[in-house]
Amino acid sequence: MTLLLLALAIAVLLVLRVPVAFAFLGPSLVYMLVHGHSSGMSLRQVTDAAQSFPLLAVPLFVFLGALANHAGIADQLFRFALALLARLRGNLGYVTVGVSVGFSWMSGSAVADAAALGKVQIPAMLRNGYSRRFATGISATSSLIAPVMPPSIPAVIFAGLAAASTGALFAAAVVPALAVALGLLVVVFLLVRREPGVSRGTFDARELLASTRGVLLPALTPVIILGGILGGWFTPTEAASVAVAYVLLIALVQRSLSWSGFLTAVRETVVTTAGIMLIVASAALLGHILARERLPQLMTELLFGITENPVLFLLLIAGLMLVLGTVIDATAVLVLTVPVLLPIAVQYGVDPIVLGVVLILSLMIGLLTPPVGTVLFVTAAVSETRVGEVFRGALPFMIPAVVVTVLVILFPEAVLFILEVLGL
């Protein structure tokens, strides 16, 4: 009964559009006070949750993405991809996916990707004869690659909660991220035939050469991050610090970052990190309450009563994440569910890394699903398009993400194989 009242209170606050962190924190504090715990001890649990060394990587990776955006690296990637694929019909659709893959190595956030790249990609597609539905749909959906491909901010949070290797999770997520990108390219190929206004461009060797020079240095950023972590040279936090320093050096050499752009990147980092950490801290208190109410044990009994098959277990969890991801921020869902689901997954014999990849993929799809799909609203804002129109445009492009999630569940060896090769 207590859990039901708590869930009802949180649901009401979320419906009233109260920020997620405070919707969790308010009812949780009331619960603690009603059960005889002091507010000081409750707030101490909140602050302790944010004092995690692995989470130090979060603001640094957020800062890395903001710097890359304001230093014009996203624009350079777009220019290079467009010059490379100039003669291909529907090239802007393929370019959108390719640039999202490239920028994802520095961003780690779907919202940052949708905001930074959407402002460039969508107007370009509209000017070149693509329908608004196609342009917004592929731009919004391709941004989902960023939170899956390292350096993934959800992966950093999951690794911290599950006491798992961030490097191993980064490495395991590369294959699913590339598989989603490949699936998007296939959908672009199929749908661009229905875009009668689309034509081929003109190949310009000088433009290709000039744009190639612009992306050579930024292309080394993922090598520094993933290579440094997997090579044992850096922790994820140290790799993020080195990558930030490297991007700053590129910006100085290329003179592509103004002082105002740097300050804007700092401000965006502070605001984004504050939001993430508020959610992590408040959800941690709620997680403590759920543990106190024996929710993990109750869920274990319920799930084992339904099935003892690990594949069906993961399919049920993926479905749950899809639903939760439509109404609650992905960070909050991870903080709430990982401590509950991880022990159950172990009993099913599911590798924590596989669980992490499945959770992240499932939650990212929720970013494109009403009523609270953040990427939907960001894409609608930057393109001046109705949210419903963006969602209808994104629907066919969401199929690869769903298919890849199911394939990871059915064939987890495909995710774990790369860890065996790397000895992780």
Side-chain angles (χ1 to χ4, degrees):
M1 185 64 180
T2 304
L3 276 179
L4 183 60
L5 290 174
L6 185 65
L8 183 61
I10 293 172
V12 169
L13 292 175
L14 290 174
V15 169
L16 294 175
R17 306 303 293 271
V18 174
V20 173
F22 299 108
F24 285 173
L25 186 60
S28 298
L29 287 174
V30 171
Y31 171 96
M32 297 294 281
L33 290 173
V34 168
H35 286 80
H37 298 279
S38 69
S39 56
M41 189 189 78
S42 301
L43 292 175
R44 177 66 181 271
Q45 286 184 308
V46 171
T47 56
D48 285 350
Q51 296 177 17
S52 169
F53 180 76
L55 291 180
L56 283 175
V58 171
L60 290 168
F61 281 131
V62 172
F63 190 38
L64 176 63
L67 282 176
N69 180 23
H70 290 284
I73 292 176
D75 294 335
Q76 293 171 5
L77 288 169
F78 185 80
R79 181 186 172 193
F80 166 73
L82 189 57
L84 183 65
L85 302 175
R87 288 290 299 158
L88 189 64
R89 188 178 187 277
N91 55 0
L92 283 172
Y94 302 108
V95 165
T96 296
V97 178
V99 172
S100 291
V101 172
F103 193 63
S104 68
W105 289 105
M106 291 171 278
S107 170
S109 166
V111 174
D113 191 312
L117 301 181
K119 288 182 287 188
V120 179
Q121 295 165 341
I122 296 173
M125 280 188 274
L126 295 178
R127 287 194 303 269
N128 285 275
Y130 294 79
S131 68
R132 183 172 292 272
R133 183 171 293 186
F134 180 95
T136 55
I138 185 58
S139 182
T141 313
S142 62
S143 70
L144 300 186
I145 299 170
V148 182
M149 185 76 81
S152 161
I153 293 173
V156 173
I157 293 172
F158 176 89
L161 293 168
S165 166
T166 305
L169 191 53
F170 277 3
V174 171
V175 172
L178 292 177
V180 171
L182 180 61
L184 288 175
L185 293 176
V186 172
V187 177
V188 169
F189 174 77
L190 296 174
L191 293 186
V192 79
R193 298 179 176 184
R194 304 178 185 176
E195 299 287 319
V198 173
S199 60
R200 291 179 172 87
T202 303
F203 179 77
D204 186 334
R206 286 179 296 180
E207 171 63 13
L208 178 59
L209 181 61
S211 61
T212 301
R213 286 198 296 264
V215 299
L216 284 177
L217 291 177
L220 293 176
T221 307
V223 177
I224 293 173
I225 296 172
L226 200 56
I229 294 173
L230 298 181
W233 299 338
F234 308 129
T235 66
T237 303
E238 292 166 346
S241 303
V242 173
V244 165
Y246 178 69
V247 170
L248 280 173
L249 182 61
I250 293 174
L252 288 174
V253 170
Q254 297 181 344
R255 298 182 179 180
S256 58
L257 181 65
S258 65
W259 180 246
S260 62
F262 175 78
L263 292 179
T264 302
V266 171
R267 182 166 56 250
E268 290 175 358
T269 302
V270 171
V271 171
T272 303
T273 304
I276 291 173
M277 297 311 295
L278 269 174
I279 291 172
V280 168
S282 58
L285 180 60
L286 180 56
H288 168 79
I289 293 172
L290 297 181
R292 175 189 171 93
E293 292 289 334
R294 298 185 70 255
L295 183 63
Q297 292 86 342
L298 294 174
M299 282 195 65
T300 301
E301 295 171 4
L302 174 63
L303 288 170
F304 271 103
I306 297 173
T307 180
E308 295 184 5
N309 188 321
V311 172
L312 185 54
F313 161 73
L314 284 176
L315 287 172
L316 290 171
I317 295 306
L320 176 63
M321 293 301 107
L322 282 171
V323 174
L324 292 178
T326 63
V327 293
I328 305 177
D329 182 86
T331 300
V333 176
L334 285 173
V335 177
L336 281 177
T337 59
V338 171
V340 175
L341 294 177
L342 185 61
I344 304 174
V346 171
Q347 292 189 47
Y348 275 97
V350 175
D351 190 288
I353 298 298
V354 174
L355 177 67
V357 173
V358 170
L359 292 182
I360 292 169
L361 282 168
S362 305
L363 287 171
M364 293 313 104
I365 297 171
L367 291 173
L368 274 178
T369 310
V372 194
T374 314
V375 170
L376 280 180
F377 288 95
V378 170
T379 305
V382 299
S383 63
E384 298 180 353
T385 307
R386 296 193 309 274
V387 173
E389 185 75 3
V390 177
F391 178 63
R392 284 189 289 273
L395 274 175
F397 295 105
M398 292 168 65
I399 295 172
V402 175
V403 170
V404 170
T405 304
V406 174
L407 288 176
V408 169
I409 292 173
L410 295 177
F411 307 103
E413 302 82 10
V415 171
L416 298 175
F417 172 74
I418 191 170
L419 302 186
E420 295 175 5
V421 172
L422 297 172
L424 297 175

